[in-house]
């Protein structure tokens, strides 16, 4: 239970920081153009607020509903749906009285601040903690090829090493899957155990195939199966599977490496079937009959071998700027590349809410992970907010661009209805995403 609260605290702090700076971006831009800001709230305050204080024209406060935050800008159709104010003649210090280009800057400012924050935090994370990369020298047994990917018979096999992608030397083997799946890299230089080198050219649409055939993680480190921890609610725990056990076979079939074990378990028929697990414990061979689950797993985490060590690199602050900006840029690219997948049936099932975001954080407080995740979430918030959905910044920007192009403002009623529809759409997505979290937590 303590693990849950530590993760929740990290998520809440991260969102509080990012929501505040996002709304502060809107606030600063509005004040720069002498637009009155009536409210600035961290979290929402339906019916009542936890804290509030009026300073000048602005009420500053903290709401009780931690689903975001807002600034209420005078003379603007927003989530407050303040129709009474909009029915009055416009005042000089209201949003609607300002030129379209000024209103556009006000609406873009929140997203811009989130992007700047994401880049800056990544730079500081690299400067403070450096980076870790998995070089090919650490892959003692080479790579393991996803069983579905292997069916393509492209010439990449278990035990190989991928030494270059599109002519770039592989410095971090953990990035190869991203480079193929999301970044469009299509030429792989493969080193065979015999010393032979081969060039493999992948199909231009290989990423779509990888998604549909559960081969996104096409290449992983090939390693023996040593048990690190066993899930206490699983049959394997009840049967005595223990930390340090070396699993070598399933149903009498040798599984020298972890991916061999996964492939053999995948052949089990039915949602819950008995598998004979052969293992060595303190040099003695044993067999355990263990039930699998619907996902064809027996409920343990493998141990990461000592030889599979990441190479750590520290950077000067100047070097951190380049490295941090590169990290932030690729993070935005990769997230944008994944967005279309949400529109697929498989992608819709993988959408998550607060539970999925919270799972990014470790059960023990780790400032490096906290700030790296905060940078990632900041960039994600920027991308999501710029989407042309009414009720989001992108929706307001869409109507402002229409006004700037046509020279005519969108009718007030259209803005009000669009805001209402956008709110309904967002709440539906919110309930669906968090419903997926609940389903995965209790029914999978």
């Amino acid at each position: 239970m303590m693990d849950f609260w530590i993760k929740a605290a990290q998520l809440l702090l991260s969102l509080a920081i990012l929501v505040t700076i996002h709304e502060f971006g809107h606030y600063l831009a509005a004040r720069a153009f002498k637009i009155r800001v009536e409210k600035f709230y961290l979290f929402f305050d339906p019916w009542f607020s936890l804290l509030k204080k009026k300073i000048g024209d602005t009420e500053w406060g903290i709401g009780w509903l931690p689903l975001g935050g807002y600034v209420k800008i005078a003379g603007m159709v927003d989530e407050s749906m303040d129709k009474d104010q909009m029915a009055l003649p416009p005042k000089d210090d209201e949003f609607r009285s300002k030129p379209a280009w000024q209103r556009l800057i006000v609406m873009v400012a929140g997203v811009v601040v989130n992007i700047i924050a994401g880049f800056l935090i990544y730079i500081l994370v690299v400067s403070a903690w450096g980076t870790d990369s998995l070089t090919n020298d650490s892959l003692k047994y080479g790579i393991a090829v996803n069983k579905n990917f292997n069916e393509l018979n492209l010439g990449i096999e278990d035990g190989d090493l991928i030494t270059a992608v599109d002519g770039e030397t592989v410095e971090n083997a953990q990035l190869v899957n991203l480079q193929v799946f999301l970044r469009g890299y299509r030429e792989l230089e493969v080193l065979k155990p015999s010393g032979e080198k081969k060039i493999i050219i992948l199909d231009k649409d290989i990423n779509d195939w990888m998604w549909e055939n559960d081969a996104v993680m096409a290449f992983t480190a090939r390693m023996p199966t040593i048990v690190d921890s066993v899930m206490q609610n699983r049959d394997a725990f009840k049967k005595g599977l223990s930390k340090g056990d070396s699993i070598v076979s399933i149903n009498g079939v040798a599984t020298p490496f972890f991916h061999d074990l996964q492939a053999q378990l995948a052949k089990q028929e039915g949602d819950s079937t008995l598998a004979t697990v052969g293992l060595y414990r303190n040099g003695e061979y044993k067999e355990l009959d263990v039930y699998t689950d619907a996902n064809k797993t027996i409920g343990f985490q493998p141990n990461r071998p000592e030889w599979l060590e990441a190479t750590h690199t520290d950077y000067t602050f100047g070097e951190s700027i380049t490295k941090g900006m590169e990290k932030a840029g690729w993070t935005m690219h990769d997230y944008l590349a994944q967005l279309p997948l949400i529109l697929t049936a498989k992608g819709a099932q993988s959408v998550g809410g607060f539970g999925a975001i919270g799972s990014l954080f470790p059960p023990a407080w780790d400032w490096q992970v906290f700030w790296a995740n905060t940078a990632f979430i900041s960039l994600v918030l920027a991308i999501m907010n710029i989407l042309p959905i009414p009720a989001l910044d992108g929706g307001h920007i869409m109507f402002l661009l229409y006004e700037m192009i046509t020279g005519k403002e969108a009718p007030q009623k259209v803005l009000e209805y669009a805001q209402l529809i956008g709110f309904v759409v967002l709440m539906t997505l919110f309930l669906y995403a968090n419903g997926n979290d609940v389903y995965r937590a209790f029914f999978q």
Side-chain angles (χ1 to χ4, degrees), residues 259-275:
H259 73 287
D260 297 319
L261 176 145
Q262 291 177 305
Q264 198 59 35
L265 285 174
K267 296 177 182 178
Q268 294 282 112
E269 295 181 0
D271 290 346
S272 180
T273 56
L274 206 60

Side-chain angles (χ1 to χ4, degrees), residues 60 175 200 209 227-228 354 376:
W60 301 78
L175 291 180
I200 309 294
W209 185 93
V227 176
D228 182 62
F354 287 121
F376 169 72

Side-chain angles (χ1 to χ4, degrees), residues 20 45 49 118 128 155 218 237-238 258-259 263 292 307 324 349 357 387 404:
T20 299
D45 61 326
S49 57
F237 181 81
K238 298 172 186 175
F258 181 61
H259 73 287
T292 63
W307 46 262
Q349 294 174 4
I357 301 172
L387 295 177
M404 294 174 74

Side-chain angles (χ1 to χ4, degrees), residues 51-303:
L51 293 170
K52 63 180 178 180
K53 183 176 178 60
K54 188 79 175 283
I55 303 175
D57 293 326
T58 307
E59 178 182 300
W60 301 78
I62 299 176
W64 60 270
L65 189 60
L67 299 181
Y70 70 97
V71 287
K72 186 178 185 306
I73 298 174
M76 175 183 170
V77 178
D78 59 12
E79 57 269 21
S80 68
M81 297 299 287
D82 189 350
K83 296 181 182 180
D84 293 338
Q85 183 184 74
M86 300 304 294
L88 298 172
K91 299 178 181 178
D92 291 342
D93 63 354
E94 289 185 349
F95 182 80
R96 54 183 166 163
S97 300
K98 303 300 178 180
W101 68 269
Q102 291 185 6
R103 285 178 279 144
L104 181 65
I105 290 174
V106 171
M107 295 317 305
V108 170
V111 169
V112 170
V113 167
N114 273 135
I115 292 174
I116 292 172
F119 273 72
L120 179 60
I121 295 171
Y122 269 130
I123 289 169
L124 294 176
V125 167
V126 172
S127 177
W129 289 286
T131 63
D132 292 315
S133 56
L134 189 66
T135 66
N136 279 325
D137 291 338
S138 298
L139 300 179
K140 183 176 179 179
Y141 298 102
I143 61 170
V145 182
N146 176 283
K147 63 182 180 63
N148 293 337
F149 196 91
N150 207 27
E151 292 175 1
L152 295 174
N153 295 316
L154 297 173
I156 311 173
E157 301 171 313
D158 293 342
D160 291 348
L161 290 173
I162 299 174
T163 53
V165 286
D166 281 12
E168 298 177 13
T169 300
V170 170
E171 296 179 353
N172 186 356
Q174 293 173 307
L175 291 180
V176 174
N177 290 313
L178 280 175
Q179 290 170 324
V180 172
F181 180 58
L182 295 177
R183 301 180 185 178
Y185 288 63
R186 291 294 178 264
E187 181 184 293
L188 306 181
E189 180 186 86
V190 176
L191 177 65
K192 297 290 182 178
S194 64
E196 176 193 3
K197 283 190 176 181
K198 293 182 67 174
I199 299 297
I200 309 294
I201 305 298
L202 304 174
D203 186 88
K204 63 181 179 65
D205 296 321
I206 189 71
N207 54 318
D208 293 332
W209 185 93
M210 291 167 69
W211 175 249
E212 294 299 331
N213 291 275
D214 297 322
V216 171
M217 293 299 293
F219 316 111
T220 54
R222 195 170 180 233
M223 60 184 185
T225 306
I226 310 296
V227 176
D228 182 62
S229 60
V230 186
M231 299 177 190
Q232 296 186 15
N233 61 339
R234 298 293 297 278
D235 188 52
F237 181 81
K238 298 172 186 175
K239 297 292 177 60
L241 189 66
S242 304
K243 180 181 177 68
D245 287 348
S246 176
I247 300 177
V248 294
S249 68
I250 298 292
N251 296 329
V253 178
T255 55
F257 298 101
F258 181 61
H259 73 287
D260 297 319
L261 176 145
Q262 291 177 305
Q264 198 59 35
L265 285 174
K267 296 177 182 178
Q268 294 282 112
E269 295 181 0
D271 290 346
S272 180
T273 56
L274 206 60
T276 300
V277 179
L279 59 89
Y280 280 97
R281 181 183 298 165
N282 299 325
E284 181 183 354
Y285 180 76
K286 293 178 177 291
E287 288 188 349
L288 302 175
D289 290 329
V290 177
Y291 279 100
T292 63
D293 67 359
N295 295 318
K296 309 296 177 65
T297 68
I298 57 178
F300 74 93
Q301 289 292 331
N303 180 58

